[in-house]
Each structure stands twice: as C-alpha cells, then as structure tokens.
Amino acid sequence: MTSTATTIPHAAPPYSGPRAFVQRLRHGDEIAHLITLTFAAGILLITSLLVWELWRTSYLSRTKFGWHFFWTQTWDPIFDNFGALPFIYGTLVTSVVALIIAVPLGLASAIFLSELAPRKISDAVSFLIDLLAAVPSVIYGLLGIFVVVPLMRSWLGPLLINTLGKLPGIGKLFAGPNYGVGFFTAGIVLAIMVVPFIISVSREVLLTVPREQREAALALGATRWESTWKVVVPWARTGIMGSIFLALARALGETMAVTMVIGNDPKISASLLRPGYTIAAVIANEFTEATGDLYLSALIELGLVLFLMTFILNGLARILIVATERGGGRPA
Amino acid sequence: MKKTSIVVSILLALAIAVAAQPGTILLNAAGATFPYPIYSKWFDVYHQKDPNVQINYQSIGSGGGIRQLLAGTVDFGASDGPMSDDQLKEAKFKILHFPTVLGAVIPIYNVSGVSGELNFTQKALAGIYLGTITKWNDPEIAKANSGVNLPASDIVVVHRADGSGTSYIFTDFLSKVSDDWKNKVGKGTSVQWPVGLGGKGNEGVSGLVKQTPGSVGYVELIYAVQNGITFGKVQNASGKFVKADLAGVTAAAAAAAKEMPDDFRVSITNQSGPTVYPISSFTWLLIPAQISDATKRDAIKGFLKWMLTDGQGYNEGLAYARLPKPVIEKEMKAIALIQ
Amino acid sequence: MNRALLIWRKSLNVVMLTLTGVAALSVVSVLFLILGYLIWHGGASLSWSFFTQLPKPVGETGGGMANAIVGSLKLLSLAALIGLPIGLMAGVYLAEFGGQTFSFVIRYTTDLLNGVPSIVIGIFAYSIVVLPVKHFSTLAGGFALGMMVIPITVRSTEEFLRAIPGTLREGAMALGASKWKTIATVVLPAASGGILTGMLLALARVAGETAPLLFTAFSNRYWSPGWAQPIASLPVMIYTYAIAPYDDWHRQAWAAGLVLLALVLLANLGCRLALNRGGNVRSV
C-alpha cells in the first residue's frame, strides 16, 4: 500500500535525543538560529570579559586599599598612596551642576516642543536637537577651551563671585579666585552635551500623555500652563526622571570635554570656580604614564568605580522610561 | 553583482595602499615633552636624510615614556628625569641612558601690567608652589623686583597634570632650595602638588599660562620663546639672578661634564657659579641595551651617532645647549653597549 | 481678589509659555553657534595642504592632517568590520529567534555595554589587545571602536526588523519558505534601508570618539602602514593641538573639528531624513 501521507517540508521526524539534534541541524533554520545565537552570546561574552578584566587588573589596588579607597583624598604617585574621593567628588559635582542647568532648560524645551509648537515645527526643531546630540565630545571640548573658558574668566566668573558669591551659605560655592577653568565651567559644557537627551526623551514621554488629561484640566478652567505643569508633566513624571538619569549617566562618563576645561587638580573644594578632577579625566591624563603597577591598578579601579556608577544609573533610567512608555504613566 | 565588486575593489585598493613598504624601518618612541621641539626636528631631518627610517615620537610626558618603555610598547623612551634605581630594577631588561641636549626650565607668567622680567628668589618659587605665597605683590616677590608695579591679584599656579620630567627637574630644584618642599612634597615626575591647575605636557602648561591672567608656570625654554610668553630670572646658588640662556645652561653642566658617571644619570640643578642657570638639566633617551631586531638596532645606533654629531648643530637654533664635548665622546663609546 | 488672581494666573501663563519657547530657541541656537564657530575659525584654515600634508615638526607652521584623516577612515572601517556583523546577527536573533529569558539577558547586556563610558572601553581594549602584543595598533583602536558600535547596531537592527509587519513573514512562509529563508530573502531586504542607516549612524557616533583611542591607537606623525602600528586620528589630533600653545596648531584644530563635524552631521542628516519618511529615530 502506497503511503499517501506527504511529509511536510522541514518538519522534524520524531527522533529524540542527539539524533534529533543532528536531524534538526540539517535544517537551515536551526543553523541560522545557532549562528545568530552565537553572535548574541558573543555580546554576553565580551561584556563579561570587560567586567572580568577590570576586576582582575585592579587587583593590586583593591587589595592594598580596600574600602579606604573610597574616602581617601590623597593621590600621591610618589608614595604610592591613592584615593578615589577627589575624583568621585569631581565627577558627581560636575554632573550635578550640569543637571541643574540642563534639566530646567531641557524640560522647558520639551514642554514647548510637545505642547505648544505646531507639529511640523516641533518635528523640525527636535530633528535639529537630535543633531546636537551627535556632535562629538572633543568638539565640545574645543569650544569649551576657546569660548566657555574665556567667557567664564572675563565676565561670568566675576559676575557669579560678585552676586551669588556675596550671599551667605551659598556664597561659598562661588568664592574666587577666578580661574576660568573649574567645576562650574565643566558643568556648563556638560549641560550643553546632555540637554538633547533630556529634551528628546521627555518630549516623547510628554507626547504619550493622553489628550483627555489636558482637556479635562482645561475644561476645569486651568490656563494652558497650569494644565501642562500641574497635570501633564506629573503624569509623565517617571519618564522624565528616566531621562534625567540617562543624562546623568552620560555626564558621569564624559571624558574629553571635561578634561579640557576642568583644570586637572585632584582637590575637593567648596567653591565651584576652583579646578577639580573627574574619574574619566584622570584616567585619560595619567593612564599611559602610570609608572608602577599599583598606580596603574589604582587608575583601573577608578574605571571600575565609574563603570558601576553608570551601570546603576543606566539601569534605573531604563526601568523608569520603559515603565512610563508601557504603563502610560500614572501620577506616582 | 556590481555593488559587491565595487566594494571589494575599494577594500583591496585600501589594503594595498596602506600595506607597509618593504624596507621601511618603523620605530615607535614616546616620552618627554621637554625636548619635543628638538626631537621632532631631529626625527624629521633624519627621515629626510635616510627615508627608510621613520621614528614616530609621541610626546606624552617623561612618565609616559618610562612606562611605555617598561611595558614594551615602544622601541625607546625619553625622559628628563633619569630613571630611579627602583624603576631600573622593575624593568625586565637593562636600560641605557643617553643624554641628548641640555635645556632649561623657566618660570613663565602672565601678569597684567608686567611685561618685563621678574626676578624670582628661590624662596619665592618654593613659596608660590607650596601655596604659602598667594598674591603677586607678596613681599618675597616684591623685594627682588623693586620698581615693578606688582598687582595685588591672586597667583594662579599651573603645574603638570601628567607624569613629567620637567616636573622632575623643577621639583628637584625646589627640593634642593627648600627643606619645606623636600619634606612636604619631594621630587618626582608626578608629585602631590599643594596647589594649582594641571596642564598636559609642556604644551598644556604653556597654553594655560598664555590664556590665564595672573598665572605662573614652569616649562622648557623653547616653549616660551616659540609662543612669546614672558619668563623671569631665577636666583642661583651664588645669589645672582640669571635669565635662562645657552651660556647659563652650559655653565651648569660644566662640573658634570668633567665627572659624568658611566650611566649618565646626573642632576645639574642649583650648581654653584655666578653665571650658572639653576634650573638646568640634561634630557635622556632611554634605550634598551638588548635589541633583538637587527634592523631596528642599527637604525637606532645610526640615529644616535648622527644625533651626537650633526644633530647637535640644531640645538642652539631651538634654544637648547649642546652637549659638552667630553660627554659626547663618552656617549659615542657607550653606543657600542647596545647589542 | 478673584480678578487679581485671574490676572496673575493669566500673566504667569504667558510668561512661562514664552520661557519654554526661549529655552527651546536657545538650545537650537547652540547648535548653530557651534557650527558657526567652527566654520568661522576652521574654514579659514582649510586648505589643500591640510588634506594632503603630514604634520610638521613642533613649532613650525604649516603641514596638515592627511594621515589623521586616513587614519580615522581606517579605524572606522575596522570598527565596522568588527562591530557591524556582530550587531546585525545579534539584532536578527533578538527580533526573530529569541526566547524569553535569553533575549532579556542579551538586551540587558547590550544596554550595559552601551552605557560603558568610552574611557573604560579604552582600558579594556588596552588590556586585551595592546598588552599581550606590547604594541599600540590600529587593530586595538578599531577593536575599541567596534565594541562601541555593537550595542547601537543591535538596537537599531532589532527595531527595524520588528517594524516589518508579521503579514510579510507569514506570506513568505505560506509559500513554503523556511524561517531562515524568510528572514534572508524577505524580511532583511525589507528592513535593509533602516538597518543600513542605523549602521551608518553607529559609525558616525564612534567617528568622533577620542578617549578610547588615547591608549589603543595612540597616534602617529607619519602614515601608518598595515594594521599593527599606532595611527593618527582626527579626534586625537584635535585634542592634542587644542591644548597646546601654538596658534598654528589651534587653527588646524578648528579645521579638523570642522571636517569631523561636517562628516558626522552629514551622516546624521542623511540618515535621519531617510528614516523620517518611515518613523522616528531616537538618538538615545
């Protein structure tokens, strides 16, 4: 009796175990699956290798200094005494200054682009702002040295010293002398670099807020601004927070633009107008010349610290942004 | 498929275009920024004389030169601070020092209203860099500069951010003239600076001082000359204020020239003598004693011989002093040690 | 009182809304300021010698950045060779084949790699490419840049593949094509425009990176033959020249900055315009 059953092309016969695997391998699908899987796993391998290498090469420094590394202020290559505190301080301070400048600017721009501007203008302007995000950081550094630093030195620095510097308490932040380079200058340059990220993500998030929310507020007599500020923005709050975290993560890791304008001095000082140092900047300046294995190891440990900081922030940012986009946002 | 063939041919052309030409000897070197102007001139001239030899020198600072030499990523290094015994021990191979030129480290400054030369006493320089002298019209500076209108503005101190032989020379001098400095900070290519901004390389320090009013820095003589930056006189061990020039630097090397140690490591800061410039120094090329690649070895030896003869002719044009004759003769003999 | 409150609210409304407009305007004007500045300072120094000559010895005026331009191109091609295939394949895996948990792990890891600061990537490349062979090289620099290309490519490939409607896939399968044939001959070609532009954007992004090259590719005053020697690149030259005191070097730094920015912006402009016909590309 002839069999009338036709085998469906590419259907696996019901073997089990290794024979089944080999059988499946004959099909292009499985091969394709395996190949792409291998490449994907390759990413896993590379990233693990990266973390492993950082961990391994910072061994000398980690074992010698232990947790003291995080609160030691000295950075002394002659006596082999290294501490991360000035660099962590500088990294955080410059990033915070950057956010203080960038968040209001960015959020305001995002509000303008999502609420007020006609769609065409909004799209065109966002397009231009996205281009700003593509500018390489060394070019920001160029402008930092030749535009921002002289600006700080000639009028912004004296202005800050004479106005905010005279106030009690906060005045300490703006005490002279006026170098031109320093935490504040680096903060300004960083702010320009991260503002496109805040705008881009916040705008998208604001656009997802349901129309009914706005309209309900307006129907109750709110002005346009009130409806935006008191209803729409809080709705998108978590997403906006996410964009801020993203910007912060970007600012923390920024190397070139910062090292060109921060003054390269590993000191902690209250005044924002004084020179400082960040983790990324010290690695860039001293890596190729760290004479001594402990010195090099200390620099790599700094790199590990930076990696962890950005890792945590990026993770938080993703969670927040995804949560807003999926859940449609809810006033928390 | 036309597209793929175009792409492939472009790739092939690229590969061929950038393939190494046979016979070219590529040497990679890195280190001091102090002698960078003369080295880049030398390597350029030598390349024109012998087009097969290309010496790619990157000025990343003496600390970088030492480090990369120890790591083996460069064929030879350069430093204005001689390697310490510890560093030489750390190396897994023997390293020879070859002095190349004599240079001077000078104090540059950018003070509004002061266009002439300022006199710096030894105490003044130490105090400025220790952070104890903070204003330009401090008595220690003023007493050596009667008649100059010094402003009451803050001194912006600039030092090196990278591991630097120029820093080594400067801190070596400061350690000799100030016990405070010696105990608090010490000498080295990378010290814990009490105050100041960090510039990258001699280039970075010059750049910062040029752009920052009220600043003071220390760089090799040629950087001030090439960029039109004012620099001052320094008080030497005999009490005289000397402006850095070839005569003063050569005088500083006079004593050392007669008694040069075999490994050529010597400090000539703060030498006695009325015309001596106190912050002078040799600068060295750091060459491994064993070079297995014969073509590289011959190229390096050839360059060294040229450097010690014709090369020295370029020194003075770039404000470096020639090596003393006894030193040159000793070095010529030492070249034979490279095997 | 009510009237006063109303006037206050109305004026606040106008003021705040105007401020938002001002904010947006100032951000956009920064872009034009950057461009303007570079053109003003860099345009003057752009000359034939800039594109064709090698750097001159320190302190002498003239010379150019021919080796740096070629160097950047070489580094980019290496980065493309290393990063694009991995990114593409991984993106295909995530969009077409992935299982639940493994895909999540891969995406998470890719995001992680994306967030690594570029200087840390430089350290990584130094320890696994430079140290073992004791040589700075184009390979090391290309490797570092390649690492940065991967996550961007993965994300854009996955996005564009997912955007292809399921009906297209089902149609192909209904005609008897196997899964891999569907992907290779139907889905990928359909998404190719987006994927290619995503790749180009990734390359444009790493073209401007300086930090990872500082201790991998190092730099070179001459032409760099082959792939195992240090090599000059535009971003590193800009950095080196900008922090130096020589005015001539400053002019050259501006010119190089202009060239770099022009290339990056043109690539971005082209890609985004091409893509905007079909959707939005997030720069993040």
Side-chain angles (χ1 to χ4, degrees):
Chain A
M1 222 160 70
T2 49
S3 163
T4 51
T6 47
T7 41
I8 305 165
H10 309 299
Y15 296 126
S16 59
R19 273 190 93 187
F21 182 68
V22 173
Q23 185 67 38
R24 291 211 308 274
L25 265 186
R26 295 228 192 94
H27 302 149
D29 280 356
E30 282 300 327
I31 299 183
H33 189 148
L34 265 169
I35 293 178
T36 53
L37 183 86
T38 317
F39 278 95
I43 299 183
L44 202 59
L45 184 72
I46 289 170
T47 318
S48 321
L49 192 64
L50 191 148
V51 181
W52 168 245
E53 275 297 310
L54 283 179
W55 185 256
R56 181 181 70 88
T57 44
S58 61
Y59 176 71
L60 277 172
S61 174
R62 275 184 298 108
T63 46
K64 173 146 191 217
F65 300 116
W67 292 108
H68 281 291
F69 192 64
F70 288 96
W71 49 78
T72 312
Q73 275 196 39
T74 40
W75 185 258
D76 194 346
I78 301 236
F79 297 109
D80 266 352
N81 190 10
F82 299 105
L85 196 60
F87 308 103
I88 299 180
Y89 177 80
T91 310
L92 289 175
V93 165
T94 49
S95 306
V96 167
V97 170
L99 283 184
I100 292 180
I101 300 174
V103 169
L105 204 64
L107 194 53
S109 307
I111 290 175
F112 177 79
L113 290 175
S114 66
E115 305 292 310
L116 295 173
R119 194 59 195 238
K120 281 222 177 110
I121 296 188
S122 174
D123 282 346
V125 173
S126 316
F127 183 78
L128 290 174
I129 291 180
D130 279 348
L131 283 183
L132 202 61
V135 174
S137 94
V138 72
I139 294 192
Y140 281 109
L142 251 186
L143 281 144
I145 295 184
F146 294 113
V147 178
V148 184
V149 171
L151 218 74
M152 270 300 287
R153 204 181 293 128
S154 53
W155 71 263
L156 190 54
L159 181 71
L160 286 169
I161 295 178
N162 291 326
T163 54
L164 293 175
K166 299 261 160 69
L167 300 173
I170 198 179
K172 287 218 196 76
L173 287 176
F174 295 101
N178 180 28
Y179 291 90
V181 295
F183 293 109
F184 195 73
T185 319
I188 294 180
V189 176
L190 279 177
I192 305 176
M193 294 179 75
V194 301
V195 98
F197 294 96
I198 298 182
I199 297 179
S200 158
V201 175
S202 298
R203 172 181 173 264
E204 275 190 41
V205 157
L206 284 170
L207 284 173
T208 62
V209 175
R211 280 188 88 183
E212 300 83 53
Q213 296 296 319
R214 293 184 188 79
E215 291 173 356
L218 291 172
L220 287 171
T223 60
R224 201 76 190 278
W225 169 251
E226 282 165 351
S227 119
T228 309
W229 188 244
K230 299 203 167 128
V231 178
V232 178
V233 169
W235 188 271
R237 184 158 49 197
T238 32
I240 295 178
M241 278 305 294
S243 80
I244 296 178
F245 279 21
L246 214 71
L248 183 61
R250 173 83 206 258
L252 289 180
E254 185 42 56
T255 316
M256 302 319 294
V258 171
T259 188
M260 285 155 109
V261 300
I262 198 169
N264 301 334
D265 191 21
K267 298 240 172 39
I268 299 179
S269 47
S271 172
L272 290 176
L273 299 176
R274 291 201 148 249
Y277 227 154
T278 62
I279 296 179
V282 72
I283 298 177
N285 277 329
E286 301 191 2
F287 195 79
T288 48
E289 50 202 42
T291 44
D293 290 328
L294 183 62
Y295 192 176
L296 192 68
S297 174
L299 283 170
I300 298 183
E301 190 179 349
L302 277 177
L304 189 60
V305 171
L306 185 64
F307 173 74
L308 285 171
M309 286 164 88
T310 48
F311 169 46
I312 295 174
L313 274 169
N314 268 313
L316 282 173
R318 288 290 154 202
I319 295 176
L320 289 173
I321 295 177
V322 167
T324 315
E325 284 174 348
R326 284 224 192 105
R330 209 140 299 188
Chain B
M1 293 245 274
K2 215 163 167 215
K3 264 190 204 163
T4 9
S5 49
I6 296 180
V7 171
V8 169
S9 34
I10 293 180
L11 283 174
L12 262 172
L14 214 71
I16 294 174
V18 301
Q21 283 148 310
T24 324
I25 307 166
L26 292 156
L27 292 167
N28 286 310
T33 59
F34 179 95
Y36 187 37
I38 182 82
Y39 285 3
S40 68
K41 182 79 186 160
W42 275 347
F43 297 139
D44 193 56
V45 170
Y46 194 72
H47 175 61
Q48 283 164 21
K49 178 171 144 355
D50 184 359
N52 280 331
V53 178
Q54 264 185 16
I55 306 179
N56 173 30
Y57 181 83
Q58 293 299 318
S59 86
I60 57 176
S62 303
I66 296 176
R67 178 70 193 176
Q68 296 310 320
L69 181 64
L70 290 178
T73 47
V74 292
D75 297 305
F76 62 92
S79 168
D80 344 295
M83 290 177 71
S84 66
D85 291 330
D86 284 336
Q87 284 169 337
L88 284 171
K89 266 198 219 111
E90 206 186 307
K92 299 193 185 80
F93 49 92
K94 182 151 180 237
I95 298 178
L96 301 166
H97 286 72
F98 282 91
T100 52
V101 294
L102 281 164
V105 175
I106 54 175
I108 50 174
Y109 48 87
N110 177 350
V111 186
S112 57
V114 178
S115 53
E117 290 153 11
L118 286 178
N119 295 328
F120 289 96
T121 60
Q122 299 176 339
K123 274 217 188 83
L125 279 177
I128 291 174
Y129 273 86
L130 276 169
T132 51
I133 297 179
T134 53
K135 299 255 184 225
W136 278 108
N137 61 352
D138 188 282
E140 183 65 38
I141 308 178
K143 77 178 189 203
N145 292 289
S146 56
V148 179
N149 202 355
L150 291 165
S153 47
D154 294 313
I155 303 181
V156 178
V157 177
V158 181
H159 55 73
R160 290 284 290 270
D162 48 336
S164 153
T166 316
S167 289
Y168 182 88
I169 301 167
F170 191 59
T171 52
D172 180 45
F173 167 74
L174 287 178
S175 299
K176 284 186 185 168
V177 304
S178 162
D179 282 333
D180 243 354
W181 181 271
K182 188 165 161 199
N183 298 328
K184 284 205 188 110
V185 189
K187 73 176 184 212
T189 52
S190 233
V191 299
Q192 211 183 11
W193 298 97
V195 289
L197 305 174
K200 194 155 168 53
N202 266 295
E203 306 91 332
V205 173
S206 327
L208 270 176
V209 171
K210 198 170 173 187
Q211 290 164 7
T212 314
S215 56
V216 64
Y218 59 87
V219 294
E220 208 287 325
L221 179 58
I222 188 62
Y223 285 90
V225 170
Q226 275 178 343
N227 292 288
I229 310 178
T230 23
F231 60 98
K233 296 184 183 173
V234 182
Q235 191 181 35
N236 64 11
S238 308
K240 298 258 187 304
F241 289 100
V242 182
K243 188 161 188 194
D245 63 7
L246 299 174
V249 171
T250 316
K258 294 193 203 106
E259 291 161 6
M260 178 64 81
D262 283 339
D263 64 356
F264 297 105
R265 295 186 296 155
V266 67
S267 156
I268 57 172
T269 52
N270 210 29
Q271 299 292 308
S272 47
T275 55
V276 162
Y277 182 71
I279 325 182
S280 309
S281 177
F282 285 101
T283 181
W284 294 264
L285 282 178
L286 306 168
I287 319 242
Q290 303 264 31
I291 303 178
S292 45
D293 184 331
T295 47
K296 282 192 179 175
R297 181 174 61 232
D298 292 335
I300 292 179
K301 282 173 126 163
F303 173 75
L304 282 174
K305 291 201 184 105
W306 177 86
M307 181 270 289
L308 289 168
T309 51
D310 290 336
Q312 293 291 307
Y314 291 93
N315 294 15
E316 289 170 359
L318 287 170
Y320 296 93
R322 289 171 174 259
L323 293 171
K325 272 224 178 64
V327 177
I328 295 182
E329 281 162 13
K330 203 161 176 165
E331 279 189 66
M332 282 292 210
K333 290 198 200 114
I335 295 182
L337 289 172
I338 306 175
Q339 273 143 26
Chain C
M1 208 270 287
N2 255 346
R3 183 142 176 84
L5 188 61
L6 190 66
I7 295 178
W8 163 251
R9 285 171 59 214
K10 278 197 172 165
S11 15
L12 185 70
N13 185 43
V14 171
V15 166
M16 294 311 266
L17 293 180
T18 322
L19 279 180
T20 60
V22 167
L25 193 70
S26 29
V27 174
V28 173
S29 53
V30 169
L31 178 66
F32 290 107
L33 187 86
I34 295 177
L35 269 172
Y37 227 92
L38 279 172
I39 294 177
W40 178 257
H41 284 266
S45 340
L46 275 183
S47 61
W48 187 241
S49 60
F50 177 82
F51 287 102
T52 51
Q53 282 187 15
L54 291 175
K56 280 235 166 84
V58 172
E60 297 181 20
T61 51
M65 291 208 192
N67 58 340
I69 297 175
V70 170
S72 276
L73 286 171
K74 279 178 77 170
L75 285 166
L76 276 179
S77 42
L78 210 58
L81 212 72
I82 297 176
L84 294 180
I86 300 181
L88 178 68
M89 287 295 153
V92 167
Y93 175 79
L94 286 177
E96 305 291 325
F97 290 108
Q100 263 294 73
T101 34
F102 197 61
S103 286
F104 174 74
V105 170
I106 298 290
R107 270 196 209 98
Y108 186 74
T109 315
T110 309
D111 261 352
L112 181 61
L113 191 58
N114 194 35
V116 176
S118 56
I119 189 93
V120 176
I121 301 250
I123 298 179
F124 176 53
Y126 178 80
S127 66
I128 71 170
V129 185
V130 175
L131 272 188
V133 296
K134 294 187 182 292
H135 224 117
F136 294 113
S137 60
T138 316
L139 256 163
F143 175 78
L145 294 181
M147 293 297 103
M148 302 182 68
V149 161
I150 292 177
I152 311 175
T153 315
V154 169
R155 198 183 304 158
S156 68
T157 306
E158 190 193 349
E159 258 186 56
F160 285 105
L161 283 175
R162 279 193 190 282
I164 300 294
T167 45
L168 210 64
R169 288 189 186 84
E170 289 162 11
M173 285 184 150
L175 288 170
S178 62
K179 189 160 184 187
W180 76 270
K181 254 226 164 88
T182 318
I183 299 174
T185 57
V186 177
V187 183
L188 271 177
S192 64
I195 295 181
L196 280 171
T197 40
M199 290 181 172
L200 196 56
L201 280 176
L203 287 177
R205 164 104 166 75
V206 299
E209 286 294 331
T210 323
L213 296 178
L214 291 175
F215 25 88
T216 47
F218 212 40
S219 193
N220 202 327
R221 298 198 69 80
Y222 300 100
W223 298 107
S224 170
W227 305 94
Q229 290 293 329
I231 191 169
S233 56
L234 272 179
V236 173
M237 291 297 258
I238 297 177
Y239 173 61
T240 314
Y241 279 21
I243 59 177
Y246 305 103
D247 285 328
D248 189 57
W249 277 18
H250 291 171
R251 276 192 289 274
Q252 290 195 31
W254 285 117
L258 183 59
V259 171
L260 184 62
L261 188 64
L263 286 172
V264 168
L265 282 187
L266 279 172
N268 268 277
L269 221 97
C271 292
R272 286 169 194 281
L273 279 174
L275 285 174
N276 269 350
R277 286 191 240 121
N280 246 337
V281 181
R282 223 204 273 159
S283 63
V284 171

